[in-house]
Amino acid sequence: MDREALTQTNPRKEAGKPTEKLRHVIESQQFTVPMLMELFDRSRGMERLVARGGSLEYQNRIMATLFYTPSTRTRLSFEAAMHRLGGRVISTEHARAFSSEIEGEDVEDTIKIIGSYSDVIVIRHHEEGGAKRAAHASSVPVINAGDGEGGQHPTQALLDLYTIYRERPLDGLSVAIIGALDKGRTARSLAYLLAKFERVKIFFVSPPEQQMKQDILDYLNEHAVLYEMESDIDRVIGEVDVVYQTRIRPHPHLESASVHQFAIHSATLPKMKPDALILHPLPRTVELDRSVDQDPRALYFRQAMNGLFVRMALLTMLLEKD
Amino acid sequence: MDREALTQTNPRKEAGKPTEKLRHVIESQQFTVPMLMELFDRSRGMERLVARGGSLEYQNRIMATLFYTPSTRTRLSFEAAMHRLGGRVISTEHARAFSSEIEGEDVEDTIKIIGSYSDVIVIRHHEEGGAKRAAHASSVPVINAGDGEGGQHPTQALLDLYTIYRERPLDGLSVAIIGALDKGRTARSLAYLLAKFERVKIFFVSPPEQQMKQDILDYLNEHAVLYEMESDIDRVIGEVDVVYQTRIRPHPHLESASVHQFAIHSATLPKMKPDALILHPLPRTVELDRSVDQDPRALYFRQAMNGLFVRMALLTMLLEKD
Amino acid sequence: MDREALTQTNPRKEAGKPTEKLRHVIESQQFTVPMLMELFDRSRGMERLVARGGSLEYQNRIMATLFYTPSTRTRLSFEAAMHRLGGRVISTEHARAFSSEIEGEDVEDTIKIIGSYSDVIVIRHHEEGGAKRAAHASSVPVINAGDGEGGQHPTQALLDLYTIYRERPLDGLSVAIIGALDKGRTARSLAYLLAKFERVKIFFVSPPEQQMKQDILDYLNEHAVLYEMESDIDRVIGEVDVVYQTRIRPHPHLESASVHQFAIHSATLPKMKPDALILHPLPRTVELDRSVDQDPRALYFRQAMNGLFVRMALLTMLLEKD
């Protein structure tokens, strides 16, 4: 799906304002920097709205959360976002297991029907490309809440970036992305988004067998983004503005002692910059020790909460009348 | 359950207006023609309400959707209908699998308890007659959203009929009902409803092994409705006002080539009347080819959307104060 | 968790009013008699509110129902309570089966994240102590909707007690608690609550192999509550103000004929006091015959409905601004 299919020009908007209306949210690369800035401005507004206990005029709008595979946290975050806007929600937790009717039919037919009941659809699909197919068939906006193992989860990347944006200028940022990066959906999506900013440097820290895949490296090369591949966390941890920790996967060639090499724990903290940011998409296992939680640089629970504001902001952008 | 148990006389209504209030929705035959006309009038009103983004004063009314077996589309259609009215929803997707407490107890006890939390109950039960038993025990209105294999799914039949009514006079209609009709719940329910109108003619088109069962034929005979049994779609398709396509079931005596004989595809379209209506309860498999979707006579997605309006209208009839 | 962790002193409240604000609802013993009286007063108010179809100003408050194991009735009762207050609900029916992300992580992390989306969390956890751990981690109030086999289900005990309170003075009450009491979570929780009142006498009626456990008996001894252990229902049934029937469990040493000895059926009714109250937490099996339902002393469906009012009242106490 090219960028034109995901946005539409809006001739009524005045010069100087963004000329594109967001139509669907399918992959993180679709966002331009002006769109990201509009999203982040709105997200700040949502923080203020929630803080004062307000809501918007969405009481007659319905969001459908159509999860073919379950993801309780992501689903509840979207649903809370719609409720905080004053809207309404219809939902399925696990369409694939529950519904032979839905399992047996093309996602296109399902989307056309659910779209006739609702004003926006949040879909998590088990097949890579499932959200894109849904968007093509849909008469209402579609948000990708994760499609397949190797697919995207763009709202996670947007909330990750918003969390950094709230604390630091994005241009000139240095970021360590740590974990099993070959299958790291959130790591991949974040790399796409970071590439949109100036003078960013990314360190991919991973066991060599689990390093970031070539397609992302090609993308960064095309966009002239500096990156390094690293397998020793200690050679990076003191230099970066952002430590983005993700899951570490047990590996036949990787002893469990080695897993611990890539973990963040209390002994790692003194090595970091005093104003570094520690992020993690959660849930975590051993790669992020609870002893880190009390450190003021630990932002991962704030990051989860920011998902609410970013999803509220996205919904307003999608549901806005042209 | 006789008709008196499903309605109640309302002495306060003036002469000339319907004298019955709808109490439960259990089977399609329970509806009289005046009740159907009231329902369809209200459904038109709901179309207009939704088009202008309005809602009604149902903000303190709760609908419980109690699905012992899952049916995501039907459930979401009911839930969207209640939300579009301004109401509230509590829901279980799959009570039978989830809830040993509910599985182990009589539906009567469950309904009494859920009915003390809610204002109307939508039930899908795995046993034929489950909805009727629920209605007997309930202090609040019950809507049957499908009970058992051989049971009913009356709101599907009502939305099917409403879709035809929006396009054609129902008296004098000729309808081809195609598919595996022996186990076709929607085909059976539609036949009951069509029998209420004048000069209707029904063609049951099916492999002989899967033809409509004798109980429906007896019902049509009693009500002096003309019908024919047919196994060659081509002898019927050019004559009828409505092509109601349903699932075709693989059968030991039916080769897969034969399944295709009963399908609607692009080659079928030129044989139909120029103003025919093509309906299908969806989901579909091979019996309705995607090449048909662009034909202006293809109404099945509209039909699915009409479910929203008919269910909204039914809810207003059930929730109305006496 | 000691009582201080579950409440907080509120210096702004005037003298004569309760000086504690309810923070979490974890176990029935946490409630003092003044708190119970405040809860029951509010519950009466909720009955009146529902009767006149009103709601309160909770339209911007979100309750999360986080059920690791399913309990459809309890969940729907809580959700209806929040809706009747005018509030909003996000929900998972079966987090343990659905969500590998949630299953794999500490309940503490999950609660922190869900708590950043919502204003109150209702949790049912499969491990004893799960709700207490959740409350420790949570920034928003937590309500225990059942934790583990041997854990608590305090709102059930509160609604049980409220049902008695609506009919009788609690001081001086005599109660027969019948069933498989060794694993009877509701029986245990009710015993804790009854012990808070004056001159209460409890008869534990059970096969000797399934009698109430020593920890509860010790608690009653400490609080100077009279109790007797009994295995013959007939020696008790005529004396008590309240018959609290619970499940009877088949047992290797207990013939099915014996199960019937502990059941309440039409032949039991003449033996009871004319103004006795018959309660049961439901669902029931053979231990409470349907022939009892028409008896005016049968209060168990009323008891289930009271759950709505008590849960509404609890939510108002937890969501109230300090």
Side-chain angles (χ1 to χ4, degrees):
Chain A
M1 186 172 281
D2 57 17
R3 265 196 55 235
E4 276 162 54
L6 299 173
T7 54
Q8 57 190 21
T9 59
N10 186 342
R12 281 180 291 159
K13 291 255 183 177
E14 319 151 39
K17 298 232 180 163
T19 56
E20 293 175 320
K21 184 184 178 322
L22 193 62
R23 283 185 60 201
H24 301 292
V25 177
I26 304 302
E27 53 192 23
S28 56
Q29 324 68 309
Q30 79 178 82
F31 286 85
T32 61
V33 171
M35 289 172 82
L36 287 169
M37 291 303 113
E38 184 184 346
L39 175 66
F40 292 168
D41 273 359
R42 288 184 188 235
S43 300
R44 291 296 304 268
M46 296 302 142
E47 290 193 46
R48 290 187 287 266
L49 180 77
V50 170
R52 69 170 191 266
S55 75
L56 298 177
E57 294 299 305
Y58 287 78
Q59 69 268 28
N60 295 331
R61 311 302 287 278
I62 297 177
M63 181 182 83
T65 46
L66 186 60
F67 277 54
Y68 282 76
T69 52
S71 174
T72 302
R73 298 241 224 86
T74 299
R75 186 174 57 80
L76 294 187
S77 174
F78 271 109
E79 295 185 7
M82 189 62 179
H83 284 302
R84 290 277 187 229
L85 292 172
R88 294 162 178 282
V89 177
I90 58 176
S91 181
T92 181
E93 292 200 51
H94 198 164
R96 202 180 174 198
F98 290 172
S99 198
S100 57
E101 63 177 358
I102 279 188
E103 172 65 354
E105 91 179 331
D106 292 327
V107 69
E108 284 85 351
D109 277 13
T110 303
I111 285 288
K112 277 179 193 158
I113 292 170
I114 304 294
S116 70
Y117 310 151
S118 60
D119 300 300
V120 56
I121 296 173
V122 179
I123 187 170
R124 170 167 289 221
H125 201 268
H126 48 284
E127 289 170 17
E128 200 175 326
K132 198 174 282 192
R133 285 163 51 211
H136 273 300
S138 181
S139 59
V140 300
V142 168
I143 302 176
N144 183 1
D147 58 339
E149 276 297 305
Q152 287 237 3
H153 186 14
T155 60
Q156 177 68 47
L158 292 168
L159 75 90
D160 292 341
L161 194 67
Y162 178 67
T163 304
I164 302 170
Y165 166 85
R166 290 279 278 113
E167 306 289 331
R168 289 277 182 291
L170 296 171
D171 292 329
L173 204 68
S174 68
V175 181
I177 302 181
I178 308 169
L181 303 180
D182 55 341
K183 298 201 178 165
R185 190 165 61 179
T186 57
R188 294 170 54 85
S189 292
L190 181 61
Y192 277 125
L193 276 188
L194 287 171
K196 296 181 182 288
F197 294 88
E198 305 294 323
R199 292 167 287 112
V200 166
K201 175 146 189 196
I202 307 178
F203 297 88
F204 295 114
V205 183
S206 176
E209 301 84 354
Q210 302 181 351
Q211 261 294 4
M212 183 56 82
K213 285 190 176 166
Q214 192 58 41
D215 62 331
I216 298 287
L217 305 181
D218 290 345
Y219 185 90
L220 297 178
N221 286 332
E222 280 166 37
H223 291 74
V225 180
L226 291 177
Y227 65 85
E228 282 182 30
M229 321 286 274
E230 187 53 75
S231 62
D232 182 352
I233 193 170
D234 285 336
R235 290 173 50 185
V236 166
I237 202 79
E239 281 188 47
V240 293
D241 302 313
V242 176
V243 175
Y244 189 87
Q245 179 70 310
T246 69
R247 285 280 181 98
I248 297 170
R249 203 171 60 243
H251 189 274
H253 301 292
L254 193 68
E255 291 172 35
S256 70
S258 312
V259 169
H260 201 64
Q261 285 177 16
F262 295 92
I264 310 287
H265 41 77
S266 55
T268 323
L269 294 172
K271 304 175 188 169
M272 293 185 191
K273 282 189 178 179
D275 62 348
L277 311 176
I278 309 172
L279 303 186
H280 190 297
L282 300 177
R284 60 176 154 183
T285 58
V286 292
E287 76 277 4
L288 178 60
D289 196 76
R290 290 187 157 269
S291 61
V292 177
D293 295 5
Q294 301 310 318
D295 193 285
R297 295 168 291 185
L299 282 190
Y300 29 90
F301 288 115
R302 177 78 204 178
Q303 181 185 1
M305 191 191 299
N306 283 338
L308 181 71
F309 308 127
V310 169
R311 288 173 177 127
M312 289 173 75
L314 270 181
L315 287 168
T316 66
M317 288 171 75
L318 291 167
L319 289 171
E320 209 157 62
K321 300 287 197 298
D322 300 336
Chain B
M1 187 172 280
D2 57 16
R3 265 194 56 235
E4 276 162 52
L6 300 172
T7 54
Q8 57 191 23
T9 58
N10 185 343
R12 280 181 291 160
K13 293 255 184 177
E14 319 151 41
K17 297 233 178 163
T19 55
E20 292 175 319
K21 185 185 175 324
L22 192 62
R23 283 185 60 200
H24 301 291
V25 177
I26 304 302
E27 53 191 23
S28 55
Q29 332 57 316
Q30 80 178 81
F31 286 84
T32 61
V33 171
M35 290 173 82
L36 287 170
M37 292 304 113
E38 185 184 346
L39 175 66
F40 292 169
D41 273 359
R42 287 183 187 236
S43 299
R44 292 295 303 267
M46 295 302 141
E47 289 193 46
R48 289 186 288 266
L49 181 77
V50 170
R52 70 170 192 267
S55 74
L56 297 178
E57 295 298 305
Y58 286 78
Q59 70 266 26
N60 295 331
R61 314 300 288 278
I62 297 176
M63 180 183 84
T65 46
L66 185 61
F67 277 54
Y68 282 76
T69 53
S71 173
T72 302
R73 298 240 224 86
T74 299
R75 187 175 57 80
L76 294 187
S77 174
F78 271 110
E79 295 185 8
M82 190 62 179
H83 283 302
R84 291 278 187 227
L85 292 173
R88 295 162 177 282
V89 176
I90 57 176
S91 181
T92 181
E93 291 200 51
H94 198 165
R96 201 181 174 196
F98 290 172
S99 197
S100 57
E101 64 177 357
I102 279 189
E103 172 65 353
E105 90 179 332
D106 291 328
V107 68
E108 284 85 352
D109 276 13
T110 301
I111 284 287
K112 277 178 192 157
I113 292 170
I114 304 294
S116 70
Y117 309 152
S118 60
D119 300 299
V120 56
I121 297 173
V122 179
I123 187 171
R124 171 169 289 223
H125 201 268
H126 46 286
E127 289 170 19
E128 200 175 328
K132 199 174 281 191
R133 285 163 49 212
H136 274 299
S138 181
S139 59
V140 299
V142 168
I143 302 178
N144 182 3
D147 60 339
E149 277 296 305
Q152 287 236 3
H153 187 12
T155 60
Q156 177 68 45
L158 292 169
L159 73 90
D160 292 342
L161 194 68
Y162 177 67
T163 303
I164 302 170
Y165 165 86
R166 290 278 279 114
E167 306 288 332
R168 289 277 181 293
L170 296 171
D171 292 330
L173 204 68
S174 67
V175 181
I177 302 181
I178 307 170
L181 303 180
D182 55 341
K183 297 200 178 164
R185 191 166 59 179
T186 57
R188 294 170 54 86
S189 291
L190 181 61
Y192 277 125
L193 276 189
L194 287 170
K196 295 181 181 289
F197 294 87
E198 304 295 324
R199 290 167 289 111
V200 166
K201 175 147 189 197
I202 306 178
F203 297 88
F204 295 114
V205 183
S206 175
E209 301 84 356
Q210 302 181 351
Q211 261 295 2
M212 184 55 83
K213 285 191 176 167
Q214 192 59 40
D215 62 331
I216 297 289
L217 305 181
D218 290 346
Y219 185 90
L220 297 177
N221 286 332
E222 279 167 36
H223 291 73
V225 180
L226 292 177
Y227 65 84
E228 284 183 29
M229 322 286 274
E230 186 53 75
S231 62
D232 182 353
I233 194 170
D234 285 336
R235 288 175 49 185
V236 166
I237 201 79
E239 279 188 48
V240 294
D241 302 314
V242 178
V243 175
Y244 189 87
Q245 179 69 312
T246 70
R247 284 281 181 98
I248 298 171
R249 202 171 61 245
H251 189 274
H253 301 294
L254 194 68
E255 294 172 34
S256 69
S258 313
V259 169
H260 202 65
Q261 285 177 16
F262 295 92
I264 309 287
H265 41 77
S266 55
T268 325
L269 294 173
K271 303 175 188 168
M272 292 184 191
K273 282 189 180 180
D275 61 350
L277 311 176
I278 308 172
L279 303 186
H280 189 298
L282 302 178
R284 60 175 156 184
T285 58
V286 292
E287 76 276 6
L288 178 59
D289 195 77
R290 289 185 158 270
S291 60
V292 177
D293 294 6
Q294 302 310 319
D295 192 284
R297 295 168 290 186
L299 281 191
Y300 30 89
F301 289 114
R302 177 78 205 178
Q303 181 185 0
M305 190 192 298
N306 283 339
L308 181 71
F309 308 127
V310 168
R311 287 171 179 128
M312 289 174 75
L314 270 181
L315 287 168
T316 66
M317 288 171 75
L318 291 166
L319 289 170
E320 208 157 63
K321 300 287 197 299
D322 299 336
Chain C
M1 185 172 279
D2 57 15
R3 264 196 55 234
E4 275 162 54
L6 300 173
T7 54
Q8 57 190 22
T9 59
N10 187 342
R12 279 182 292 161
K13 293 255 183 177
E14 318 151 39
K17 296 232 179 163
T19 56
E20 294 174 320
K21 184 184 177 323
L22 193 62
R23 282 186 60 200
H24 301 290
V25 178
I26 304 303
E27 53 191 25
S28 56
Q29 344 36 330
Q30 80 178 82
F31 287 84
T32 61
V33 171
M35 290 173 80
L36 287 170
M37 291 303 113
E38 185 185 346
L39 175 66
F40 292 168
D41 273 358
R42 287 184 188 235
S43 299
R44 291 296 303 268
M46 295 301 142
E47 290 193 45
R48 289 186 288 264
L49 181 76
V50 170
R52 69 169 191 266
S55 74
L56 297 179
E57 295 298 305
Y58 287 79
Q59 69 266 27
N60 295 332
R61 312 303 287 279
I62 298 177
M63 180 183 84
T65 46
L66 186 60
F67 276 54
Y68 282 76
T69 51
S71 173
T72 302
R73 298 242 224 87
T74 299
R75 186 174 56 81
L76 295 187
S77 175
F78 271 110
E79 295 186 6
M82 189 62 178
H83 283 301
R84 291 278 187 226
L85 291 172
R88 294 162 177 282
V89 177
I90 58 176
S91 181
T92 181
E93 291 199 53
H94 198 166
R96 201 181 175 197
F98 290 172
S99 199
S100 58
E101 64 176 358
I102 279 188
E103 172 65 353
E105 90 178 332
D106 290 329
V107 69
E108 284 85 351
D109 277 12
T110 302
I111 285 287
K112 277 179 193 159
I113 292 171
I114 305 294
S116 71
Y117 311 151
S118 59
D119 300 299
V120 57
I121 297 173
V122 178
I123 188 171
R124 171 168 288 223
H125 200 269
H126 47 286
E127 288 170 18
E128 199 175 326
K132 198 174 283 191
R133 286 163 50 212
H136 273 300
S138 181
S139 59
V140 299
V142 168
I143 302 177
N144 183 2
D147 60 338
E149 277 296 306
Q152 287 236 2
H153 186 12
T155 61
Q156 177 68 46
L158 292 169
L159 75 89
D160 291 342
L161 194 67
Y162 177 67
T163 303
I164 302 170
Y165 166 85
R166 290 278 279 114
E167 307 288 332
R168 290 277 181 289
L170 295 170
D171 292 330
L173 204 68
S174 67
V175 181
I177 301 181
I178 308 168
L181 303 179
D182 55 341
K183 299 201 177 164
R185 190 166 60 180
T186 57
R188 292 171 56 85
S189 292
L190 181 61
Y192 277 126
L193 277 189
L194 287 171
K196 296 182 181 287
F197 294 86
E198 304 295 323
R199 291 166 289 111
V200 166
K201 175 147 189 195
I202 306 177
F203 297 88
F204 295 114
V205 183
S206 176
E209 301 84 354
Q210 303 182 349
Q211 260 295 3
M212 185 54 83
K213 284 189 175 167
Q214 193 59 39
D215 62 332
I216 297 288
L217 305 182
D218 290 345
Y219 185 90
L220 296 178
N221 286 331
E222 280 167 38
H223 291 74
V225 180
L226 291 177
Y227 65 84
E228 282 183 29
M229 321 285 274
E230 186 54 72
S231 62
D232 182 353
I233 194 170
D234 285 336
R235 289 174 49 184
V236 167
I237 202 78
E239 279 188 49
V240 294
D241 302 314
V242 177
V243 175
Y244 188 88
Q245 178 71 310
T246 70
R247 284 279 181 98
I248 298 170
R249 201 172 61 246
H251 189 274
H253 302 293
L254 195 66
E255 293 171 35
S256 68
S258 312
V259 169
H260 203 65
Q261 285 177 15
F262 294 92
I264 310 288
H265 41 77
S266 54
T268 323
L269 294 172
K271 303 175 188 168
M272 292 184 191
K273 282 190 180 179
D275 62 349
L277 311 176
I278 309 172
L279 302 186
H280 190 298
L282 301 178
R284 59 175 155 183
T285 57
V286 293
E287 76 276 5
L288 179 59
D289 195 77
R290 291 186 157 269
S291 61
V292 177
D293 294 7
Q294 302 310 319
D295 192 286
R297 295 168 290 185
L299 281 190
Y300 29 89
F301 288 114
R302 177 78 204 178
Q303 183 185 0
M305 190 191 298
N306 284 337
L308 181 72
F309 308 127
V310 169
R311 288 173 178 128
M312 289 173 75
L314 271 180
L315 287 168
T316 66
M317 289 170 76
L318 291 166
L319 289 170
E320 207 157 65
K321 301 285 197 297
D322 298 337

